């Protein structure tokens, strides 16, 4: 059983790619989901779709502020706590699979931009939400890395893999420091899971990794969503500082 009902999740990177299924699964379990997005039209369609399903959990979308990403602003969490009663789960799923270009074509400034976007964005969320997570009865933080971010490799985007490797380190260090507060911090290492077609043209094609996956298939957004639900649940209270692969065994052949 996964206890999600009546708790509130702030989810960045939910409206495109592989996060949509997780939003639906969380709401189906009774969790309220606040999607942080810069894709207003796509987000509203998802909100309308979920509301039409009459799921037990509420879903709303929050756009960017004039000052920057809403998920990195403490006032966002103040408003959410007032409306929903708590902030319990933080999910940082921001980012793309990266540009499919050779390493030598990645300028140092491009690499630093990816690190700022992926690591800085994930930590920015945690930094802003931390006072509210400390008030939760079951606080959870879920970050996202990739198999090549933790294992190394040559098939994923170089800049994305390096930045996602730093997210893995962020998970370990934040988990160690927040464990005494009862806040769990875990990371999901994604394998070849296709995003919504056409969201980011030029992304690395996940199907290129198919012959290296022992299970012989690509992952699905539901594969990711089910693990997100577990790590967000009250039942995961004794799991922290872990990186769990959703990869079909991709990392086993490194």
């Amino acid at each position: 059983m996964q206890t999600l009902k009546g708790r509130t999740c702030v989810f960045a990177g939910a409206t495109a790619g592989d996060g949509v299924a997780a939003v639906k699964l969380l709401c189906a379990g009774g969790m309220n989901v606040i999607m942080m997005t810069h894709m207003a039209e796509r987000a509203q369609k998802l909100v309308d779709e979920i509301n039409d399903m009459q799921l037990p959990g509420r879903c709303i979308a929050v756009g960017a502020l004039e000052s920057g990403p809403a998920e990195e602003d403490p006032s966002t969490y103040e408003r959410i706590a007032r409306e929903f009663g708590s902030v319990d789960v933080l999910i940082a799923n921001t980012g793309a699979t990266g540009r499919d270009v050779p390493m030598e074509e990645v300028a140092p400034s491009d690499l630093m931009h990816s690190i700022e976007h992926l690591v800085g964005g994930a930590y920015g969320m945690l930094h802003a939400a931390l006072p509210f997570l400390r008030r939760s009865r079951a606080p959870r933080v879920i970050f996202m890395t990739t198999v090549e971010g933790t294992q190394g490799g040559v098939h994923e985007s170089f800049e994305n893999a390096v930045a996602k490797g730093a997210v893995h380190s962020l998970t370990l260090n934040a988990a160690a420091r927040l464990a005494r507060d009862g806040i769990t911090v875990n990371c999901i290492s994604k394998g070849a899971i296709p995003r919504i077609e056409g969201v980011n043209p030029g992304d690395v094609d996940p199907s290129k990794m198919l012959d290296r996956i022992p299970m012989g298939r690509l992952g699905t957004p539901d594969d990711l969503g089910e693990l997100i639900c577990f790590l967000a649940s009250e039942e995961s209270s004794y799991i922290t500082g872990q990186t769990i692969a959703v990869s079909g065994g991709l990392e086993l052949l490194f």
Side-chain angles (χ1 to χ4, degrees):
M1 180 179 178
Q2 295 178 357
T3 305
L4 302 169
K5 188 175 181 179
R7 296 164 63 230
T8 301
C9 166
V10 178
F11 198 146
T15 54
D18 50 28
V20 173
V23 175
K24 294 178 180 178
L25 289 167
L26 290 167
C27 289
M31 181 166 279
N32 302 311
V33 179
I34 292 81
M35 301 184 299
M36 301 287 130
T37 182
H38 63 278
M39 300 179 176
E41 184 176 348
R42 187 183 295 273
Q44 190 56 53
K45 288 181 179 178
L46 181 56
V47 169
D48 292 342
E49 179 183 352
I50 290 174
N51 288 340
D52 288 344
M53 295 168 69
Q54 298 185 329
L55 299 175
R58 291 175 57 194
C59 179
I60 65 171
V62 175
L65 305 175
E66 289 186 7
S67 57
E71 63 268 25
E72 297 180 34
D73 191 318
S75 67
T76 298
Y77 299 93
E78 292 174 3
R79 294 194 299 273
I80 292 170
R82 282 197 303 270
E83 181 171 353
F84 291 91
S86 64
V87 175
D88 305 290
V89 179
L90 207 67
I91 302 174
N93 189 39
T94 304
T97 51
R99 299 176 302 146
D100 191 6
V101 298
M103 173 182 164
E104 58 269 24
E105 294 183 19
V106 177
S109 58
D110 294 330
L111 179 61
M112 294 309 297
H113 174 76
S114 291
I115 291 172
E116 171 60 28
H117 178 57
L118 296 175
V119 187
Y123 179 64
M125 282 188 74
L126 177 58
H127 187 268
L130 194 52
F132 302 90
L133 291 172
R134 285 191 165 115
R135 302 173 198 166
S136 169
R137 72 173 187 268
R140 307 282 182 263
V141 178
I142 303 171
F143 293 136
M144 301 288 171
T145 185
T146 61
V147 169
E148 292 195 9
T150 58
Q151 302 285 119
V154 298
H155 295 277
E156 186 184 349
S157 154
F158 171 74
E159 58 194 279
N160 188 74
V162 172
K164 286 296 189 180
V167 173
H168 176 236
S169 179
L170 172 63
T171 300
L172 296 174
N173 286 278
R177 287 163 170 79
L178 297 177
R180 290 192 177 276
D181 294 326
I183 301 172
T184 69
V185 185
N186 291 293
C187 194
I188 296 175
S189 176
K190 293 191 280 189
I193 301 177
R195 293 164 55 83
I196 292 175
E197 187 175 353
V199 170
N200 286 301
D203 280 355
V204 173
D205 181 1
S207 66
K208 292 181 178 180
M209 302 184 197
L210 187 57
D211 62 352
R212 298 167 53 231
I213 301 174
M215 291 191 72
R217 69 171 177 87
L218 299 179
T220 69
D222 280 339
D223 291 327
L224 176 65
E226 293 288 359
L227 179 55
I228 286 174
C229 286
F230 172 66
L231 293 177
S233 73
E234 296 190 18
E235 285 74 17
S236 65
S237 64
Y238 205 52
I239 300 172
T240 196
Q242 302 304 304
T243 296
I244 303 173
V246 180
S247 66
L250 175 63
E251 71 284 355
L252 300 176
L253 299 185
F254 272 79

